[in-house]
Amino acid sequence: MLALLTHRFGLDVADDAVQDALVEALNWAEVPDNPAAWLYTVARNRAVDRVRRDAAAARRLARSAPDLVAAAQQSNGDRDPGGNDEEVPDMIDDAHYSGDEHLRLLLLCCHPALGRDTQVALTLRLVGGLTTAEIAAAFLLPEQTLAQRIVRAKRKIRDAGILLSIPEDLTLRVDALLTVLYLIFNEGYLSRGSTAGARIDLVEEAIRLTITARELLPGNPEVEGLLALELYARARHDTRFRGDELVLLEDQDRTRWDGELIEQANGLLRGALARVRPGPFQTQAVIARHHATARTAADTDWPAIASAYAVLLAMTGGSPVVALNRAVAVSMADGPDAGLRLLSGITGLENYHLYWATRAELSLRAGDADAAADAFARARELATNAAEQQHLDRRIAQLRGQL
């Protein structure tokens, strides 16, 4: 709905109109026969009303200060404020119409005029459907900071008159596009919001959009690497939860993993690596493949995974989250003390629950129950996902039973 209305009214007006329609729907006495059509009609009418009000306000301004308005028009190329109030701005560029409104909206949010972090945050909000709180959790930033970033991005798109279109050259937006799809997938894989467990709708949407991106960018190894990574993770979905209980990778029933999806991912990864243009998504897919093809948890090639994480750490400029994952892999290959030494050198994850959960598990394996208890308590304090909270509660209870 947002994508379709953005075509006609522009992003800022469309987003407000959709939100107004959703608020009005809270007053439903009963659900209409076609709720989507009802919402679209109300949102469209709100958008038309907004355009007419803005046009009327512009005409009043023109009458009261014609010299100032004329100067502004000359410098900014604005539309004549005295124009027809029935006119609705046309923000769609039909030259490259693809029929995929979600992808067009995604590419608008990934416009190179926006900064990288802004591109990602705006797309997660408008295309991925994530709340500001969920995006803030994914970025490890305060919610208010993300809210301001999104508002500024929408204003910039509006003021610059950026079109909702498929660009001739997608290469300038590939990195942002893949980052966005990856974060949408991650939020679906294990929600950082209030939703328990996974959000399969986001998982499927990320995969669908990645497939579409691959069609638009044939032969791009990073697109293929991301799609392989998503499919490896999707193949394990049915074994990741037992009711509301989170099941760790080493405890999952591997006989229930989707072998067909794993084979599809293997083929994609082989094709990507054959192009000899390595990148971070291909490297992550290599790591996922080691997990997906190990017949048992004991068969996992942890030294190879640790080496791959070292490569990924260099590719990502020392990402602290990648460093955390590398520490886990090293602990599995060389023992918990080696992992704890690496953890001690990581900064920037003081408010990240998985950092403390990892420190707790490694401390417990190293025989330091007191340090493990403190770290588990901190992880539980920071965790927002219900399934992870329950898992940490169980681990804390198990540890207390051992003391």
Side-chain angles (χ1 to χ4, degrees):
M1 188 182 306
L2 177 60
L4 289 169
L5 290 171
T6 297
H7 277 180
R8 186 177 180 195
F9 300 100
L11 178 59
D12 200 34
V13 173
D15 191 31
D16 287 345
V18 170
Q19 298 303 318
D20 287 347
L22 291 171
V23 170
E24 187 164 337
L26 294 175
N27 297 320
W28 281 345
E30 59 183 40
V31 178
D33 292 338
N34 190 336
W38 188 98
L39 287 167
Y40 180 82
T41 300
V42 172
R44 182 194 59 202
N45 292 341
R46 294 293 181 275
V48 170
D49 290 343
R50 163 81 175 271
V51 170
R52 289 173 177 169
R53 286 196 306 271
D54 289 349
R59 286 197 302 277
R60 288 193 296 270
L61 177 61
R63 287 194 295 270
S64 62
D67 54 334
L68 296 180
V69 172
Q73 288 177 334
Q74 186 173 5
S75 61
N76 298 327
D78 289 343
R79 181 186 301 272
D80 178 7
N84 184 353
D85 67 357
E86 295 296 327
E87 182 177 4
V88 174
D90 186 5
M91 297 294 291
I92 183 170
D93 172 10
D94 286 317
H96 305 289
Y97 182 73
S98 70
D100 191 324
E101 311 309 328
H102 278 92
L103 185 65
R104 293 166 68 89
L105 183 58
L106 194 155
L107 290 171
L108 171 68
C109 297
C110 292
H111 194 281
L114 305 174
R116 174 57 54 81
D117 288 345
T118 300
Q119 292 172 336
V120 174
L122 185 64
T123 309
L124 290 172
R125 164 68 177 78
L126 298 178
V127 184
L130 276 64
T131 66
T132 302
E134 290 168 337
I135 302 168
F139 274 92
L140 307 180
L141 290 175
E143 183 175 346
Q144 183 62 27
T145 301
L146 260 296
Q148 293 172 351
R149 185 175 295 173
I150 291 168
V151 169
R152 287 194 299 268
K154 289 167 59 180
R155 185 179 300 130
K156 185 169 187 177
I157 288 173
R158 179 197 64 200
D159 293 345
I162 297 173
L163 296 176
L164 185 69
S165 62
I166 302 292
E168 289 279 8
D169 183 4
L170 283 172
T171 56
L172 293 176
R173 305 193 198 180
V174 170
D175 288 346
L177 173 64
L178 297 186
T179 300
V180 165
L181 295 175
Y182 177 64
L183 288 177
I184 293 173
F185 184 89
N186 275 352
E187 179 58 33
Y189 186 73
L190 187 62
S191 174
R192 302 301 173 194
S194 59
T195 303
R199 290 182 58 181
I200 195 63
D201 58 327
L202 291 183
V203 168
E204 297 292 356
E205 181 67 1
I207 291 174
R208 187 187 73 81
L209 288 171
T210 306
I211 291 171
T212 303
R214 183 180 178 226
E215 294 169 352
L216 289 170
L217 295 163
N220 185 295
E222 278 293 85
V223 177
E224 294 171 338
L226 175 59
L227 183 55
L229 177 63
E230 292 170 343
L231 293 180
Y232 282 130
R234 179 67 178 87
R236 301 196 301 268
H237 173 75
D238 291 343
T239 65
R240 294 182 55 241
F241 297 93
R242 188 179 300 114
D244 292 335
E245 179 183 352
L246 180 68
V247 180
L248 300 180
L249 179 63
E250 59 266 28
D251 298 324
Q252 292 173 16
D253 181 358
R254 297 177 183 232
T255 64
R256 295 176 54 211
W257 287 358
D258 191 324
E260 183 177 341
L261 285 182
I262 291 173
E263 281 305 308
Q264 290 180 27
N266 287 341
L268 285 165
L269 182 57
R270 282 193 297 268
L273 295 177
R275 304 183 198 284
V276 198
R277 288 156 50 197
F281 288 113
Q282 295 169 73
T283 306
Q284 290 181 76
V286 168
I287 294 169
R289 181 182 180 278
H290 281 297
H291 289 298
T293 56
R295 294 178 62 85
T296 67
D299 293 331
T300 305
D301 191 345
W302 286 109
I305 292 175
S307 296
Y309 270 122
V311 172
L312 184 61
L313 189 64
M315 287 180 172
T316 57
S319 162
V321 174
V322 175
L324 172 62
N325 289 328
R326 177 176 175 243
V328 172
V330 168
S331 74
M332 297 301 294
D334 300 328
D337 290 333
L340 285 168
R341 285 193 294 271
L342 290 177
L343 280 183
S344 297
I346 299 174
T347 58
L349 297 182
E350 293 79 8
N351 294 318
Y352 188 40
H353 70 290
L354 290 181
Y355 171 85
W356 294 104
T358 300
R359 178 170 285 281
E361 295 291 357
L362 296 188
S363 296
L364 192 58
R365 286 175 52 199
D368 191 343
D370 290 338
D374 291 341
F376 271 132
R378 180 60 175 154
R380 179 61 179 83
E381 179 183 349
L382 294 170
T384 59
N385 177 272
E388 288 182 305
Q389 290 173 342
Q390 293 176 19
H391 171 74
L392 289 168
D393 287 339
R394 285 192 298 274
R395 295 296 289 137
I396 291 170
Q398 291 168 358
L399 179 58
R400 286 173 178 168
Q402 297 172 12
L403 295 178

